[in-house]
Amino acid sequence: MAILTDVQVALVKSSFEEFNANIPKHTHRFFTLVLEIAPTAKDLFSFLKGTNEVPQNNPDLQAHAGKTYEAAIQLQVNGAVATDATLKNLGSVHVSKGVIDAHFPVVKEAILKTIKEVVGDKWSEELNNAWTIAYDELAIIIKKEMKDAA
């Protein structure tokens, strides 16, 4: 497992604070990107079923983004994502929704694009690397929990 440096942890946290400053707009953009990359992914999200577009200001959509961030930000003292009850639950929920390994790169691409848009000129290779490590670590743990839940 990769270990995030203190600088990388700070980069992820500060950029997510910018995301969180306008969470309705940014979650909408994130899910719009997910559907642009993988249109069939809409069936994985209850708040997207039966629609061809991402609803504005949807509280379920915003809560989903918040849960994802809270899991990712569990960057403990050593900079690694910790496994806890939240991630175990995420694993079982992902299994029940039909998430497979191929979905993770889609979400990663959408997260990176969204954060890049949010931070604008602050985007850097270092910030990209920090988010890549944080997401990859989270994905490893969720996939493990999915395997255990299956």
Side-chain angles (χ1 to χ4, degrees), residues 15 18-19 22 25-34 36-37 109-124 127-128 131:
S15 59
E18 289 187 53
F19 177 96
N22 193 344
K25 174 185 174 185
H26 301 313
T27 54
H28 184 269
R29 179 65 179 141
F30 167 75
F31 282 103
T32 298
L33 285 168
V34 167
E36 285 175 8
I37 297 164
E109 181 180 345
I111 284 175
L112 292 175
K113 284 182 177 181
T114 303
I115 296 299
K116 183 177 182 178
E117 290 176 13
V118 168
V119 301
D121 292 342
K122 296 177 196 170
W123 185 255
S124 66
L127 182 55
N128 180 71
W131 270 98

Side-chain angles (χ1 to χ4, degrees), residues 20-100:
N20 204 33
N22 193 344
I23 202 161
K25 174 185 174 185
H26 301 313
T27 54
H28 184 269
R29 179 65 179 141
F30 167 75
F31 282 103
T32 298
L33 285 168
V34 167
L35 296 183
E36 285 175 8
I37 297 164
T40 59
K42 78 175 190 168
D43 293 334
L44 298 172
F45 302 99
S46 59
F47 50 86
L48 295 177
K49 287 185 179 175
T51 182
N52 289 324
E53 58 186 54
V54 178
Q56 293 281 347
N57 300 317
N58 182 301
D60 292 334
L61 179 142
Q62 293 165 27
H64 189 277
K67 288 176 192 174
T68 301
Y69 170 72
E70 287 303 320
I73 214 59
Q74 292 179 38
L75 305 167
Q76 301 300 329
V77 175
N78 66 355
V81 178
T83 303
D84 70 359
T86 301
L87 291 178
K88 289 187 183 301
N89 183 54
L90 279 176
S92 63
V93 168
H94 281 75
V95 166
S96 72
K97 299 292 183 182
V99 173
I100 59 173

